[in-house]
Amino acid sequence: MDDQLDIETLVDQHQAALYRFALSLSHNESDALDLVQETFCLWMRKGGQLLDRGKVKAWLFTTLHREFLGRRRRLVRFPHHELTEVESELPEIPPVPADQADRERLLECLARLDPVFRAPVALFYLEEYAYQDIASILDVPLGTVKSRISRGVAQLQEMFHRPLEPSREASR
């Protein structure tokens, strides 16, 4: 190998072996492809630090293995759960009455809210329906209602705390 290894040559020489190794570790094609891609990305950022070009293959395999271990550690620390599995752990969000001065601004933000989130948020906060009633009205699962209300409230908070657009301030 010459002094300046180009990435195309490196990929051609080692991609198949790295993929097989990654697949043997992860047992998942998608994860294996991600590991190989991340390994080559790391090579592009840090491979120039390798002084002995004869150790490129070992560096790539070591890097892939470390990336796999890091991902596994993150998965153990921060496991992925489907919403239906953790419905009971979601917090109940009690309705908070809007201040009269902020009510107009809040209604304006609510009108700009994504319609998917607008209906559950309006039913919960303005009409004071229970989660289960909203789920029946909208014909969606209870967990979906809770998720949409949570996301809708987050979007509302973001909109509400943003400064008003100049054209709206001038009209007031």
Side-chain angles (χ1 to χ4, degrees):
M1 291 186 200
D2 71 290
D3 212 30
Q4 295 289 21
L5 291 174
D6 73 283
I7 191 69
E8 290 177 23
T9 304
L10 206 61
V11 170
D12 289 343
Q13 290 176 350
H14 301 291
Q15 181 182 16
L18 285 169
Y19 174 76
R20 284 191 303 272
F21 180 55
L23 189 59
S24 74
L25 294 172
S26 67
H27 304 290
N28 179 297
E29 289 180 20
S30 178
D31 290 342
L33 289 169
D34 287 347
L35 285 166
V36 172
Q37 181 177 352
E38 184 60 27
T39 300
F40 285 120
C41 285
L42 287 168
W43 171 262
M44 291 173 60
R45 281 184 285 187
K46 299 181 180 182
Q49 298 171 6
L50 185 65
L51 299 176
D52 185 355
R53 296 297 181 183
K55 295 184 179 182
V56 170
K57 185 175 181 180
W59 187 96
L60 290 169
F61 277 84
T62 301
T63 301
L64 187 143
H65 187 252
R66 287 179 180 160
E67 182 65 22
F68 168 75
L69 293 175
R71 288 179 183 205
R72 193 170 72 183
R73 271 192 304 276
R74 279 188 296 280
L75 187 60
V76 169
R77 286 182 65 197
F78 307 106
H80 172 76
H81 298 288
E82 292 298 322
L83 187 57
T84 55
E85 296 172 1
V86 293
E87 259 180 62
S88 61
E89 296 176 28
L90 291 174
E92 294 288 326
I93 304 172
V96 178
D99 207 13
Q100 194 59 31
D102 294 332
R103 186 169 178 77
E104 184 179 327
R105 175 82 193 272
L106 184 61
L107 290 174
E108 179 183 307
C109 291
L110 185 62
R112 292 191 341 243
L113 190 64
D114 185 336
V116 171
F117 304 118
R118 186 182 315 137
V121 169
L123 288 170
F124 187 76
Y125 285 100
L126 301 178
E127 302 302 327
E128 298 183 9
Y129 278 97
Y131 288 126
Q132 192 60 49
D133 296 335
I134 297 170
S136 297
I137 292 168
L138 299 178
D139 196 25
V140 295
L142 181 62
T144 302
V145 169
K146 291 178 180 181
S147 173
R148 288 180 181 174
I149 289 172
S150 175
R151 290 179 181 170
V153 167
Q155 283 185 10
L156 274 176
Q157 288 173 340
E158 183 181 320
M159 280 189 259
F160 193 77
H161 294 293
R162 251 189 253 143
L164 284 176
E165 297 166 6
S167 62
R168 293 185 184 193
E169 285 179 331
S171 67
R172 290 185 172 224

